[in-house]
Amino acid sequence: MSVQGSHPALEPGRIGDLRTANRLAVSPMTRVSAGPEGTPTPEMAAYYTEFARGGFGLVLTEGIYTDSVYSQSYLNQPGLVSAGHVAAWRDVTEGVHEAGSLIVAQLMHAGALSQGNAHRDDTIGPSAVRPLGVMMPEYGGTGRWPVPREMGSADIEEAVAGFAAAAVNAREAGFDGVEIHAANGYLLDQFLTDYTNLREDSYGGPVANRVRLTAEVVEAIRAEVGPDWCVGVRLSQTKVNDFRYRWPGGVHDGEVIFAALAEAGATYLHIASEGRNWIETAELEGGLTITGQARRVTGLPVIANGGMHDAELSAQVLGDGHADFVSVARGALVNPDLPRRLAEGGRLERFDRTLLEPMVTLDNVRRRRRVLEAKV
């Protein structure tokens, strides 16, 4: 934490019509702590408000499921489908706003990476390809992923409509915008990924086709919320079940993907690293970085992710023009007041893996915090 006071992350920022107190965002982190019917709890409201009180200019929620069919990924994942969901999320947004921050809802469809859906036992995806690896025990899963059913045109239309309806619900709940989750191996990323998308129709084949569904989701949301409301998109190369994957076309793929989403009406792009350091997944051939390329191609604000609790790294990323904002995940989990510590030159608490074991729930984090604090 040697960089302080004048750190670029502490400067005010702008995303579309939204003005933020600084350029520090809380990255989406799955907590699986909603009620069994997907309704956010008072504990979740306190959790998100804590980041706002700690000085984060922007809070991005965990992935929220978008329909009562195939979108849910985990049991006890929150939804934005029912009137009850909307009312409970309103308590969250009001708390964050009262504490002085903005809050954006991340909208998520699991696709083939669903390991707990209260509405369905089977899964869907772009093609009938079994996902790599095994389900994640810290999110309540066990064993191999099932083979998804290949989506037909009606399934695709239903998924797009779910995103659009959830965005309308998010606006009703008081959110300042939505972030479309097209990263980390979930449905929209499954369409982007060459080995999970073997389709021969207009959604498969070249990258311009594979990004089509994500662009259609952006367009569908835009048609519902108008031209000015914030609609971001989160992208990644790596996945929760594949840390090695990179876009096969490299720079060319990035050019096509970023341009398509900007044309569709995205407000910003958020490039995730899936638990990896930013530079590990950001470097491209020719000295480019994926976040810098996204800025150059689109002219949109870009959020960088991956180790951004490190003050020197985040200063480099912002100062050298690789991104406009940085998002912090695990560093924020143990330092919900990270912006204040950065401004004051305070020491950061180190992340402890036991905070996520055996489950990533808020209850587990609270208990582990007490244990860790007692050892100090």
Side-chain angles (χ1 to χ4, degrees), residues 91-343:
D91 292 338
V92 177
T93 61
E94 288 176 355
V96 170
H97 288 153
E98 288 173 4
S101 296
L102 303 177
I103 181 167
V104 166
Q106 187 187 72
L107 304 182
M108 170 182 172
H109 192 302
L113 293 191
S114 176
Q115 59 182 47
N117 186 344
H119 309 285
R120 290 289 188 280
D121 292 326
D122 58 331
T123 61
I124 58 175
S127 302
V129 175
R130 188 189 299 275
L132 298 178
V134 296
M135 297 185 194
M136 297 170 283
E138 63 269 32
Y139 298 104
T142 182
R144 298 182 70 189
W145 301 97
V147 177
R149 174 175 61 81
E150 181 173 312
M151 295 173 70
S153 58
D155 296 308
I156 290 174
E157 291 171 5
E158 189 170 53
V160 173
F163 273 103
V168 172
N169 285 340
R171 186 173 59 177
E172 175 66 20
F175 284 101
D176 299 293
V178 293
E179 178 176 282
I180 299 164
H181 197 353
N184 305 129
Y186 298 103
L187 180 69
L188 300 181
D189 187 44
Q190 290 159 28
F191 272 81
L192 271 172
T193 301
D194 58 354
Y195 67 78
T196 53
N197 183 350
L198 307 180
R199 303 176 72 94
E200 297 180 352
D201 60 6
S202 61
Y203 294 98
V207 67
N209 285 0
R210 287 184 277 116
V211 75
R212 186 184 307 277
L213 181 57
T214 306
E216 288 181 355
V217 169
V218 175
E219 292 167 350
I221 292 175
R222 269 280 164 252
E224 294 291 336
V225 303
D228 300 322
W229 204 58
C230 179
V231 181
V233 181
R234 192 180 211 214
L235 298 159
S236 71
Q237 298 188 92
T238 54
K239 312 171 192 309
V240 295
N241 63 326
D242 185 356
F243 295 144
R244 297 182 179 181
Y245 185 76
R246 299 294 185 273
W247 292 339
V251 172
H252 170 263
D253 281 8
E255 298 271 345
V256 174
I257 292 167
F258 300 142
L261 299 179
E263 184 178 354
T267 308
Y268 73 85
L269 300 176
H270 183 185
I271 313 299
S273 294
E274 187 47 54
R276 298 302 188 260
N277 186 280
W278 168 79
I279 197 63
E280 185 179 336
T281 57
E283 282 187 315
L284 300 172
E285 60 264 33
L288 296 173
T289 62
I290 192 170
T291 50
Q293 182 192 28
R295 292 185 81 215
R296 176 181 58 78
V297 170
T298 67
L300 298 175
V302 171
I303 304 176
N305 170 257
M308 293 301 158
H309 60 279
D310 184 298
E312 294 185 0
L313 177 61
S314 58
Q316 174 195 348
V317 168
L318 294 172
D320 292 349
H322 296 289
D324 303 276
F325 289 75
V326 294
S327 69
V328 185
R330 294 176 179 179
L333 191 62
V334 291
N335 300 280
D337 60 345
L338 184 146
R340 302 196 191 286
R341 297 190 187 211
L342 179 59

